[in-house]
Amino acid sequence: MAYSAVLKSASILAFIVPHSLAVPFVSEATTTFTSDAATTVPVVPVTNVTSHGRFTGPAPTTTGALSTSVLAASIPASPAEQYKLQYPADGKLHEPQPAPYTPAGGLGTNGSEPVYRVISDFDYQSVALALYQEWIELDLFRWGLSTFSVQDFEAAGLHEEDRFLLQFMADQEVGHATALTNMLGFQAPVQCTYNYPVSDLEEYIDFSQKLTRWGESGVYGFLNHLDSRETAQILLQSISTEARQQMIFRQFEGLFPMPVWFEVGIPQSWAWTFLAPYISSCPGNQTRLIWQNFPPLRILNQPNPARINGSSVWNETTSEWVNSLSTSNISSAESCLHVVNSTAGCEPAITQNRSNPLSYPGRQVFLEWDTPGGRTGPNNSYVTSTSAGTPKFAAWVSQLNVTYSPLLNVVNNSAYTIQPNTSTYEGDPAINGTIFLAITDEEFNVTPFNISMINPHVNALGIYQAG
């Protein structure tokens, strides 16, 4: 080969003139090397944009979540496992090293060949849920590009490069769907048809921002519980990409891009509750999920990021559960999109610090929720349910915290509560960004790693736009 001849010539020259002074020269990169294209893994078949609209077909023949024999009504809480409290954590090594520069411990570190597939029911149902999410994101991103005109994007301050970024995010979803499909196998869920509660581009951006929030948080909630550590590794690398997507939609919406120190994780049943209403129908042989669908929680004065004064609102949402914004009652004088004062505006930007906060501690938040038994999900084949008792509290789920505030003036399925003043650590207000709000029957203590244990106490779920 050419480069080996060059190396040999250089060796001969060095041998003949062993003590010659080095001659200065400028090295130029060679750009003419070529190689055959590497073999690539094919992606899963995808439909560019599926049909859209609510399900209007016949009554489903199969209803409810996937189930088998159930051993108990809930998983009981138990004390911490003692071995987790025994490691001295003093910065010293306490076990022999399995190899140089390698400390003892860790999972999946024994040298065995990785196997990238699900290995338990928990794995399968969790990854299948994540795949349902990848499919709707792929469709949503492409649908936005095909539905709204160049003029719509330009009027919202989003230009050609921004539209290309949205297209690239859709391409990312093809890769994510392929990876998850390969780990699940031949019964992996496929694309469905969808419906989105949006009528203009601002509503689309806000809905996308909230959809990517629950999609990201839904994976964080189960990632470290997967039996297959190899599968968890692939999910980690895909969800890290989706975290960037969520931040981009915040930037598109003129919100501060990352107003928290920690991103929140939620249980699988919460992610499925938020996702299912926007799936219209799926093929008849589609893999069903085990996860619970909770009744929707409507936030009657949900902060509206499209307003100059986003906290001064009433009934300006387009959907239950997600509580995404509506622009239908916002006049041009009230819109923050084209204001002269930049601190009150919400033009797309790398970062934006609005002078009028969307919410604040002490804010009165008005709530309504449904009773269980509603139809939801693909083909209206899932049913909302709850095992909780009488609603008593609002649970604010954000960052590392679950903070409770009492429900006040409870009348039937409505009440109000007061937004708490709480911090994750000093200097980090816990309730900020796009967070989750639940109605519960008690103040049940949970932390990020065991947050799914709150499920038996949840009456209804919603998303709150705190900042």
Side-chain angles (χ1 to χ4, degrees):
M1 297 177 66
Y3 66 86
S4 62
V6 171
L7 292 176
K8 289 178 181 178
S9 298
S11 301
I12 293 172
L13 180 61
F15 179 76
I16 295 174
V17 193
H19 303 295
S20 64
L21 297 176
V23 179
F25 69 98
V26 177
S27 175
E28 294 184 359
T30 301
T31 59
T32 56
F33 289 113
T34 61
S35 63
D36 295 333
T39 302
T40 57
V41 178
V43 298
V44 292
V46 298
T47 300
N48 185 29
V49 177
T50 70
S51 62
H52 288 80
R54 293 192 175 276
F55 178 71
T56 58
T61 57
T62 302
T63 60
L66 186 67
S67 182
T68 181
S69 57
V70 179
L71 301 180
S74 63
I75 297 174
S78 59
E81 297 168 296
Q82 286 303 302
Y83 79 91
K84 295 179 180 178
L85 305 174
Q86 294 171 358
Y87 183 72
D90 55 6
K92 300 178 181 178
L93 297 176
H94 298 274
E95 300 289 341
Q97 296 177 225
Y101 313 107
T102 306
L107 299 175
T109 59
N110 62 1
S112 60
E113 181 180 353
V115 177
Y116 294 96
R117 68 184 301 271
V118 294
I119 59 174
S120 65
D121 289 348
F122 185 93
D123 286 2
Y124 192 100
Q125 289 293 313
S126 300
V127 177
L129 169 63
L131 182 53
Y132 269 97
Q133 180 74 25
E134 305 291 2
W135 284 130
I136 198 173
E137 290 172 350
L138 168 61
D139 182 83
L140 178 65
F141 301 164
R142 289 182 170 178
W143 180 84
L145 289 168
S146 68
T147 300
F148 300 106
S149 67
V150 172
Q151 291 74 23
D152 292 330
F153 279 94
E154 293 288 334
L158 297 168
H159 307 297
E160 181 179 359
E161 293 85 354
D162 304 304
R163 295 193 301 276
F164 179 78
L165 177 57
L166 186 56
Q167 175 60 57
F168 186 76
M169 290 194 291
D171 295 340
Q172 290 175 324
E173 299 307 328
V174 176
H176 299 171
T178 300
L180 271 59
T181 297
N182 290 343
M183 292 188 293
L184 287 168
F186 69 98
Q187 288 291 347
V190 298
Q191 273 184 295
C192 299
T193 64
Y194 307 95
N195 65 89
Y196 307 128
V198 302
S199 59
D200 61 34
L201 187 60
E202 281 186 275
E203 292 179 357
Y204 169 78
I205 295 297
D206 183 71
F207 179 72
S208 299
Q209 180 263 126
K210 289 178 168 66
L211 182 142
T212 49
R213 169 75 280 138
W214 86 63
E216 178 189 348
S217 294
V219 171
Y220 293 155
F222 71 74
L223 186 63
N224 287 307
H225 293 286
L226 291 174
D227 291 297
S228 170
R229 306 313 302 159
E230 300 94 326
T231 299
Q233 180 66 43
I234 301 301
L235 272 172
L236 173 64
Q237 293 178 239
S238 66
I239 206 61
S240 298
T241 302
E242 299 204 9
R244 290 160 171 79
Q245 294 175 354
Q246 205 276 334
M247 189 176 80
I248 286 166
F249 281 115
R250 289 186 61 88
Q251 292 171 313
F252 281 0
E253 196 169 2
L255 295 169
F256 193 77
M258 44 179 182
V260 294
W261 292 6
F262 302 90
E263 298 298 347
V264 63
I266 58 173
Q268 295 99 320
S269 288
W270 293 30
W272 181 233
T273 293
F274 294 125
L275 169 59
Y278 308 106
I279 305 176
S280 299
S281 62
C282 294
N285 61 346
Q286 179 83 325
T287 295
R288 297 184 66 80
L289 297 182
I290 193 174
W291 309 115
Q292 185 175 4
N293 296 91
F294 291 100
L297 170 63
R298 286 177 293 280
I299 301 166
L300 300 181
N301 59 336
Q302 166 81 316
N304 190 332
R307 281 188 172 274
I308 292 175
N309 187 357
S311 66
S312 180
V313 293
W314 187 260
N315 199 23
E316 289 189 353
T317 59
T318 64
S319 63
E320 303 175 315
W321 286 286
V322 177
N323 294 278
S324 52
L325 72 80
S326 169
T327 61
S328 60
N329 294 324
I330 302 178
S331 68
S332 58
E334 296 167 323
S335 171
C336 61
L337 191 54
H338 298 295
V339 297
V340 176
N341 180 358
S342 61
T343 61
C346 58
E347 293 276 343
I350 293 174
T351 187
Q352 191 107 259
N353 197 11
R354 294 172 57 149
S355 56
N356 294 320
L358 292 179
S359 76
Y360 45 85
R363 183 174 189 259
Q364 199 173 15
V365 180
F366 294 89
L367 308 168
E368 282 185 354
W369 58 92
D370 284 2
T371 55
R375 290 297 181 90
T376 187
N379 309 81
N380 285 335
S381 63
Y382 290 81
V383 182
T384 63
S385 65
T386 176
S387 60
T390 303
K392 294 180 181 178
F393 297 93
W396 305 76
V397 182
S398 65
Q399 302 199 59
L400 306 181
N401 296 41
V402 177
T403 305
Y404 292 91
S405 61
L407 296 180
L408 304 171
N409 193 30
V410 180
V411 178
N412 297 323
N413 284 11
S414 67
Y416 74 86
T417 193
I418 304 300
Q419 183 169 325
N421 185 4
T422 183
S423 297
T424 310
Y425 294 111
E426 183 178 356
D428 175 32
I431 299 175
N432 206 345
T434 307
I435 71 165
F436 302 93
L437 195 58
I439 301 298
T440 68
D441 62 358
E442 66 171 273
E443 295 180 273
F444 191 79
N445 183 40
V446 290
T447 61
F449 194 68
N450 71 343
I451 191 170
S452 63
M453 293 188 70
I454 197 177
N455 285 348
H457 303 281
V458 171
N459 298 95
L461 286 177
I463 290 180
Y464 184 68
Q465 193 64 58

